[in-house]
Amino acid sequence: MTTFDDRKNAFEKKYAHDEEMLFKAVARRNRLVGLWAAELLGKSGSEADAYAKEIVLADLKLPGPDDVIERLEADLGARADAATIRAKLDELLPVAKAQLIAELDDQEG
């Protein structure tokens, strides 16, 4: 292999890794926002966990967060509007990324 091929393969691996991490971070964010919404709905324990899983699965229908926002808006009613839900999604993405990085560090260390 040439140096160019090595670099190309390295970039492809990095891109694949970055996309996988983004997918995991978005799924984690959706789980966290699902737990937040579950609390607003008065759910706790296993009921809250099950609801959070439903929110994660809701994101698999369409690209982007719109399907999650629509689901949460319908479920939460007057408790939170779309702007509040978007703000919570934005707030929780860095939290989800930090959790994933911490888990990777724990696995490596």
Side-chain angles (χ1 to χ4, degrees), residues 16-32:
H17 177 265
D18 290 350
E19 287 298 306
E20 178 184 2
M21 291 303 293
L22 180 60
F23 177 82
K24 287 180 179 181
V26 168
R28 174 73 58 100
R29 177 207 62 194
N30 291 342
R31 181 180 166 279
L32 293 172

Side-chain angles (χ1 to χ4, degrees), residues 49 104 107:
D49 288 335
L104 287 173
Q107 290 175 0

Side-chain angles (χ1 to χ4, degrees), residues 42-67:
K43 299 174 189 272
S44 62
S46 61
E47 190 179 18
D49 288 335
Y51 181 78
K53 287 178 186 175
E54 288 178 29
I55 298 305
V56 171
L57 293 175
D59 192 31
L60 301 177
K61 294 178 184 173
L62 301 170
D66 291 338
D67 40 2

Side-chain angles (χ1 to χ4, degrees), residues 85-98:
I85 295 166
R86 274 190 198 284
K88 187 55 88 169
L89 287 169
D90 291 343
E91 174 189 327
L92 291 174
L93 186 58
V95 173
K97 287 179 179 180

